[in-house]
Amino acid sequence: MITLNNVSKTFTLHNQGSAVIEVLTGVSLSVGRGECVALTGASGAGKSTLMRMIYGNYLTQAGEILIGGVDLARAEPRDVLALRRETLGYVSQFLRVVPRVPTLDVVAEPLRALGVPAAEAQARAEVLLGKLNIPERLWGLSPTTFSGGEQQRVNIARGFAHQYPAMLLDEPTASLDAANREVVLSLIEDAKTNGAAIIGIFHDEAARARVCDREIDVSCFTPGLAA
Amino acid sequence: MTPLLSVYGISKRYGPHIGCAYVSFELYPGEVMGIVGESGSGKSTLLNCIAGHLPPDEGKVVFDTRIEGPKDTIAMSEPERRMLSRTDWAFVHQHARDGLRMGVSAGGNVGERLMAVGERHYGDIRSKATDWLGRVEIDASRVDDRPTTFSGGMQQRLQIARNLVTGPRLVFMDEPTGGLDVSVQARLLDLLRGLVRDMGLSAIIVTHDLAVVRLLADRLMVMKSGRVVEAGLTDQVLDDPQHAYSQLLVSSVLQV
């Protein structure tokens, strides 16, 4: 489902003496349906950078990133947008929303964007928010004033509202208590059962051992770090 | 899919000065594109050339019209272009006063655009106008008040209602949230996003506020000295800018 061939990334900092930083070279990997792969490596190895490249958030200098037949390294913006709407989900560590929008609508939005009727999308959002233990009295409020853990759970609910065939998870269980961590892990397991290909970053080793089928050490692709 | 709008090599000079130079892009139905750049970078000139408010020196603006298909709007006759700007196009000005008739009631401002496309039944016009005032969150009791009695944020929302009542397919916006306080900005952004999604609108938004484009625009063009220096997916351009100027622009934003 997700295939990377010989992917490289450099950052050129034009305003800081045109410094060129090589971040990743020669990344090749492949993740099949129903499989969950963990990216590992020390801080700064390029895990998040690789994740952002796969989402099309960072530009890829060389190689190809194939998801559902689209090469993200070369795709037109509208193709990337369509892919993100239908095929590729991303749960980031931070929630970014329009202020003032109620939590329920924030979570239902990915479904609304796919043309799901408002009532149905909201029903799904209610189920997810309930599962993730967000008290019902908060559903009508904007998540911008929520606590860190609550915001993260809203973000996860939003990420799992639509059943994406491919998903990227950036530390989905960080800063969650045991009960909520359990809920998130079972959501990931359900997604796998439904055939989703998942790439994740988990600093939580027990979580990684439980949901991931394989680990890929990103430092192998980091120039200067590789042995 | 046919692009809704195709812009080919638009250039505009003011004497020896470049307004904008050789700008080309395509906009597809349902897409929202942001244009950012500092003051004087040519973004408003470009918007005005595309929207038919300024004649460009060179270039073509091809719009996929409902009846005749793709047509160059610059080569169109004046009445034809005017019809387009009353029906399928809408222009939201930075200053609501430029887009409203200040001596006419709020309901009249919205109803006028309906009458311009041939609606004649007073009751229908009034009920549609009231409906739209509700959608932009202006109380129905204000329908007979003049916009001079409205706050800046209300005037801006009224301008949006006036523009969208005829169900346009393409909306041009010049700094739609500029000059409004932040709480009103958030409201307006939320409103615009909902309208774009529910009506399947395409929009071109000129702004210098990067936070606004991040929330509203799918795609982004960065302009400097009249030229497009970078274009791409909004979050990609903002998070991984490639051009020296875009990097400067993004890194210059003050953190709140």
Side-chain angles (χ1 to χ4, degrees), chain A residues 75-97:
Chain A
E76 289 289 313
R78 68 180 160 281
D79 297 326
V80 179
L81 290 168
L83 192 76
R84 286 181 182 180
R85 212 164 30 237
E86 291 151 20
T87 314
L88 179 64
Y90 178 47
V91 177
S92 71
Q93 282 176 276
F94 307 100
L95 182 70
R96 182 136 38 196
V97 294

Side-chain angles (χ1 to χ4, degrees), chain A residues 9 12 57 59 100 109, chain B residues 187 193 235 239-240 247:
Chain A
K9 172 75 192 161
T12 309
N57 180 217
L59 220 59
R100 223 188 61 126
E109 206 203 272
Chain B
R187 249 170 109 140
R193 241 166 64 133
D235 59 297
D239 293 338
D240 187 18
Q247 291 186 353

